[in-house]
């Protein structure tokens, strides 16, 4: 984000960091990104060695939203645009979550309007790695966060979306359980117990007993931590 009076400027540069002999080594990847962008998301499409990385959204060098997605292929050290993979609503500051089968759910974020102002995005989009395309996947409830939420994978494969900032920029207590059915490609969002405190830009992690610890964030007394005990599958 440029300072007042400065032009919006960014590059396509990308670097790889490796730990060699106890030292952190940086190596620039050339050529870099196919599209220069900032405030984008990067999502690994699998756990295997050499799995592709999906890059979505962001702002380009002109400050405009980027619809075009691209892949980073680690085995060839190359970035490649995906011709048919265009976000229906280009966005920044969004969350991208890998689902079973390599599908990626694009959640929330901010759209860049023609006058440069920002507006919240409630529409969900799903990236299909086989088709190489995005499609609509539902809408976030009006009470949920669109930026600054935590996304935590639960032991049974569901996801907890907790807190965040709503369309008015206020921290919320809303929590949702997301379940993806890879057979019919449906993403089901179910409201669950609200957070004890409204918070955004916090941290969340699954503990060994399957509960989720949430800590910090922006809002009132966020020095307090809390734990969320997920319901069994089929319950909220």
């Amino acid at each position: 984000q440029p300072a007042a009076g400065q032009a919006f400027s960014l590059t396509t540069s990308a670097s790889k960091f490796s730990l060699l002999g106890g030292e952190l080594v940086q190596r620039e990847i050339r050529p870099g990104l196919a599209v220069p962008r900032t405030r984008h998301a990067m999502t690994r499409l699998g756990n295997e060695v050499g799995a592709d990385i999906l890059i979505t959204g962001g702002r380009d060098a002109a400050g405009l939203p980027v619809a075009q997605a691209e892949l980073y292929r680690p085995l060839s050290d190359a970035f490649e645009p995906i011709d048919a993979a265009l976000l229906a609503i280009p966005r920044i500051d969004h969350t991208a979550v890998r689902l079973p089968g390599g599908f990626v759910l694009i959640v929330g974020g901010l759209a860049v309007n023609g006058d440069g102002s920002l507006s919240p995005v409630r529409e969900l989009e799903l990236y299909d790695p086989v088709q190489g395309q995005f499609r609509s996947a539902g809408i976030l409830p009006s009470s949920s966060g669109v930026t600054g939420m935590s996304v935590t994978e639960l032991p049974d494969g569901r996801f907890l979306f907790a807190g965040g900032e709503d369309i008015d920029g206020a921290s919320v207590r809303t929590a949702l359980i997301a379940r993806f059915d890879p057979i019919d490609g449906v993403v089901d969002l179910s409201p669950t117990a609200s957070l004890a405190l409204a918070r955004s830009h916090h941290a969340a992690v699954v503990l060994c007993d399957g509960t989720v610890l949430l800590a910090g964030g922006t809002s009132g007394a966020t020095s307090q931590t809390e734990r969320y005990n997920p319901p069994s599958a089929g319950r909220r």
Side-chain angles (χ1 to χ4, degrees), residues 144-199:
S144 70
V146 291
T147 60
M149 70 185 73
S150 61
V151 178
T152 312
E153 185 172 6
L154 302 176
D156 61 5
R158 293 178 298 168
F159 289 83
L160 174 68
F161 297 167
E165 294 180 353
D166 64 14
I167 59 176
D168 297 317
S171 297
V172 301
R173 297 174 57 224
T174 304
L176 304 168
I177 295 284
R179 184 185 66 84
F180 176 65
D181 187 338
I183 297 177
D184 58 16
V186 172
V187 177
D188 176 58
L189 288 179
S190 302
T192 185
S194 298
L195 300 179
L197 296 171
R199 63 179 82 213

Side-chain angles (χ1 to χ4, degrees), residues 29-202:
I29 303 172
R30 296 185 179 181
L33 289 162
V35 179
R37 62 181 87 208
T38 184
R39 298 168 73 175
H40 49 284
M42 300 178 66
T43 313
R44 199 163 183 235
L45 298 183
N47 293 324
E48 67 276 9
V49 174
D52 291 339
I53 296 172
L54 178 71
I55 303 166
T56 57
R59 262 179 153 166
D60 66 15
L64 300 175
V66 180
Q68 177 75 66
E70 58 184 289
L71 291 175
Y72 169 63
R73 300 189 183 276
L75 297 183
S76 58
D77 235 6
F79 291 89
E80 299 177 6
I82 314 169
D83 293 337
L86 301 175
L87 285 167
I89 303 180
R91 60 191 81 192
I92 64 175
D93 298 343
H94 53 289
T95 301
V97 183
R98 177 164 61 94
L99 303 175
F103 290 84
V104 176
L105 183 64
I106 308 298
V107 184
L110 301 170
V112 182
N113 303 316
D115 61 358
S117 62
L118 303 177
S119 58
V121 180
R122 291 175 52 210
E123 290 79 0
L124 303 172
E125 297 189 52
L126 188 69
Y127 174 73
D128 184 330
V130 176
Q131 301 294 327
Q133 296 179 337
F134 292 95
R135 62 177 174 82
S136 177
I139 297 180
L140 288 169
S142 59
S143 62
S144 70
V146 291
T147 60
M149 70 185 73
S150 61
V151 178
T152 312
E153 185 172 6
L154 302 176
D156 61 5
R158 293 178 298 168
F159 289 83
L160 174 68
F161 297 167
E165 294 180 353
D166 64 14
I167 59 176
D168 297 317
S171 297
V172 301
R173 297 174 57 224
T174 304
L176 304 168
I177 295 284
R179 184 185 66 84
F180 176 65
D181 187 338
I183 297 177
D184 58 16
V186 172
V187 177
D188 176 58
L189 288 179
S190 302
T192 185
S194 298
L195 300 179
L197 296 171
R199 63 179 82 213
S200 57
H201 303 287
H202 52 284

